Amino acid sequence: QVQLVESGGGLVQAGASLRLSCAVSGRTLSMNAMGWFRQAPGKEREFVATSSWGEFYADFAKGRFTISRDNSKNTVYLQMNSLKPEDTAIYYCAGSRATGVVTVRNQYDYWGQGTRVTVSS
């Protein structure tokens, strides 16, 4: 079993930065890819970024968000810069046993409880 716990969300103004963290515990060796998704009110959960064979980002995240992994701490990060009001959402960390670039929600096996990010204008 794998447990994922996100932290770092909050309320910020447009243009600010936040760094989200995802602490991973349990059978971490079973996971190949780690990713971040987000879900805004009234919308579907959408892909943000993944780290497996390199990093891959959704178009809206390119140039502003950076995913990274610290294997010594079993932690995954999402650095978010130049935040916009449309980035307001609950952000979820996820782990996948699939190989390759994993961007599809149903390819992820483990999920955290989410951390809320609110960006005011």
Side-chain angles (χ1 to χ4, degrees), residues 8-51:
L11 170 63
V12 297
Q13 292 188 329
S17 298
L18 275 177
R19 188 177 78 160
L20 307 183
S21 299
C22 174
V24 185
S25 60
R27 299 182 61 183
T28 58
L29 292 180
S30 67
M31 291 193 297
N32 292 308
M34 295 298 302
W36 287 93
F37 287 72
R38 70 182 187 183
Q39 187 165 15
K43 295 188 177 181
E44 294 290 318
R45 192 171 300 187
E46 64 178 348
F47 167 76
V48 177
T50 185
S51 174

Side-chain angles (χ1 to χ4, degrees), residues 28-81:
T28 58
L29 292 180
S30 67
M31 291 193 297
N32 292 308
M34 295 298 302
W36 287 93
F37 287 72
R38 70 182 187 183
Q39 187 165 15
K43 295 188 177 181
E44 294 290 318
R45 192 171 300 187
E46 64 178 348
F47 167 76
V48 177
T50 185
S51 174
S52 54
W53 295 354
E55 290 72 46
F56 188 82
Y57 299 90
D59 285 344
F60 66 79
K62 292 177 182 176
R64 296 192 301 129
F65 295 2
T66 303
I67 187 172
S68 61
R69 302 169 72 162
D70 186 337
N71 291 330
S72 68
K73 296 181 179 179
N74 285 336
T75 302
V76 182
Y77 302 99
L78 184 68
Q79 176 68 43
M80 305 187 295
N81 299 327

Side-chain angles (χ1 to χ4, degrees), residues 58-115:
D59 285 344
F60 66 79
K62 292 177 182 176
R64 296 192 301 129
F65 295 2
T66 303
I67 187 172
S68 61
R69 302 169 72 162
D70 186 337
N71 291 330
S72 68
K73 296 181 179 179
N74 285 336
T75 302
V76 182
Y77 302 99
L78 184 68
Q79 176 68 43
M80 305 187 295
N81 299 327
S82 302
L83 284 163
K84 306 174 182 180
E86 51 264 43
D87 294 319
T88 295
I90 298 175
Y91 284 72
Y92 297 91
C93 176
S96 173
R97 293 171 292 183
T99 58
V101 178
V102 188
T103 64
V104 179
R105 177 180 175 180
N106 63 13
Q107 290 182 297
Y108 282 83
D109 305 289
Y110 307 102
W111 292 85
Q113 82 290 347
T115 184

